[in-house]
Amino acid sequence: MNYTGPVYRPPFEADSLLLQVTVGCSHNQCAFCTMYRAVPFSVCPMEQVEADIEEAARRWPNAKRVFLENGDPFVLSAERLVRIAEAIHAKLPRVETIAMYASIPNIRSKTDAELRHLRALGVNELNIGVESGLDSALKLMNKGHTARESIDELLRLKAAGMDFGLNIIFGAAGSDHWRENAEATAALLNTAQPYLIFTGTVHADPGCPLYEDMRSGAFVENTFGEYLDEEELLLELLDLENTYYFGLHPSNVLPMRGMLPRDKEEMLKAVQDMRKRMKDNLDKRPVRVGEGAIINR
Ligand code: SF4
């Protein structure tokens, strides 16, 4: 299999066949992201993709799920994605789902008919970094979309029968605005009803604008107490029908997962218990290492 540049996947795609169709990210400007900073965006040649599918068919003929790489493969035209999906089904007949990272502008560039056609070909369970439902936070993070645009495009996906997981960032609005961030993000999630929510807290490595803003004090991150308050408020406000809440990213103050609404009370209790355990540290801010992992809880 050909892999060019760094290749990332969500933790819950660990068992998926990773098929690279793009290199880098077409946006590559989120304030907190260093994943593809040094990698110019490009589209993999169709011949390479077809050769990789041939190889995958020899090595993993029973694959059921494919995750297309890299940062936002849904940027590809619907026509190119149809070609890729048809090539996958021709060689890997057991594949049921073709998932990938996608951005809100990626969805906007496709018609409703194109979304339905892609869904019919197994494209589903897109992983989308909406990050927040608060416009000021989206601007700070330089996401390139507004909350209204998120809702509009996610509802178009829903109407096309396509499901999605949404990534959100606690603390994306900064320390003074954790309450607004929780309220606006809960409202977005309640409207969109994703099948999965993937949470993390705001963190930045050297080489991105947010890192400089955090160092200079232009952006002040939540305290531990504010992170717990923000997650607690979000959980209280969530009104979801059937969503897996995946909060095991190392940047989180409290590792958490569960099904909502089923496990809501248990999850709220976990936040309250953590607050008690951390009572002497609630006013401190995280010290982090790689991937935002916290080392001073
Ligand atoms: S967070 Fe996602 S969309 Fe933003 S620059 Fe990084 S890979 Fe691209």
Side-chain angles (χ1 to χ4, degrees), residues 14-146:
D15 295 330
S16 303
L17 170 64
L18 304 183
L19 176 68
Q20 187 160 21
V21 297
T22 58
V23 176
C25 164
S26 72
H27 178 55
N28 210 11
Q29 288 179 26
C30 294
F32 55 87
C33 179
T34 48
M35 293 200 296
Y36 306 103
R37 285 272 158 182
V39 186
F41 175 77
S42 65
V43 177
C44 297
M46 198 60 207
E47 303 72 49
Q48 177 192 312
V49 174
E50 285 167 347
D52 282 346
I53 293 171
E54 294 264 3
E55 183 181 342
R58 285 194 300 276
R59 295 171 64 183
W60 304 286
N62 296 321
K64 286 199 169 151
R65 185 179 177 97
V66 175
F67 188 75
L68 300 184
E69 295 288 350
N70 228 334
D72 64 340
F74 207 61
V75 73
L76 292 175
S77 67
E79 187 188 353
R80 171 60 76 107
L81 286 168
V82 166
R83 277 184 73 189
I84 293 168
E86 287 176 343
I88 290 170
H89 292 307
K91 300 289 177 188
L92 292 158
R94 296 196 179 195
V95 167
E96 293 164 358
T97 303
I98 302 171
M100 71 197 86
Y101 289 121
S103 72
I104 297 300
N106 294 168
I107 306 165
R108 196 168 49 223
S109 68
K110 298 184 176 55
T111 66
D112 292 346
E114 287 171 340
L115 293 176
R116 284 196 301 274
H117 188 192
L118 290 167
R119 177 66 191 90
L121 287 168
V123 174
N124 200 19
E125 298 181 359
L126 304 180
N127 185 274
I128 305 168
V130 293
E131 323 301 9
S132 169
L134 188 68
D135 279 338
S136 57
L138 294 170
K139 203 165 176 195
L140 274 173
M141 298 298 131
N142 199 25
K143 284 302 297 180
H145 67 254
T146 64

Side-chain angles (χ1 to χ4, degrees), residues 180-194:
E180 295 102 292
N181 198 42
E183 289 169 350
T185 304
L188 183 148
L189 296 169
N190 290 343
T191 304
Q193 295 287 325

